Amino acid sequence: MSTARAIAPGRVNLIGEHTDYNRGLCLPFAIPLATTATVTARADWRLRVTSDGGDPWEGALGEKPDGWASYVAGVLWALTESGWEVPGLDIDLTSTIPLGGGLSRLGRPGVLGRRRGGRAAG
């Protein structure tokens, strides 16, 4: 099966916290801490998502998981809705970004899922 790996840096906002989505100015910058996603295509139509920051989840593609895994499943749903044929996947997320440390970590699974889910699929 095909395996792909992506690394997304953590980020900190020097100025402009919560203004970027309100048309305000902000100054984010990358930091050396990062989240890594390892994505492996499966022969079946199942999705398994594991993380060093949450409980693992496994189910069929198209099922809606609870908790943090819903971010990854939502990205794969959007890829499917956009016409991508998404196979079953094993997705493992690891991060050196501390939970609750005030650093941006939440969006990383989505970005990594878009980049690697599409690549593993095609």
Side-chain angles (χ1 to χ4, degrees), residues 63-118:
E63 279 185 49
K64 185 178 181 218
D66 291 328
W68 70 272
S70 64
Y71 289 101
V72 177
V75 170
L76 298 176
W77 172 85
L79 285 169
T80 302
E81 289 292 306
S82 296
W84 287 82
E85 185 176 326
V86 178
L89 297 170
D90 286 333
I91 301 175
D92 180 52
L93 300 170
T94 58
S95 184
T96 57
I97 302 169
L99 286 171
L103 303 174
S104 182
R105 177 181 173 134
L106 187 59
R108 298 300 106 197
V111 172
L112 292 168
R114 284 191 297 273
R115 293 186 68 201
R116 291 300 157 195

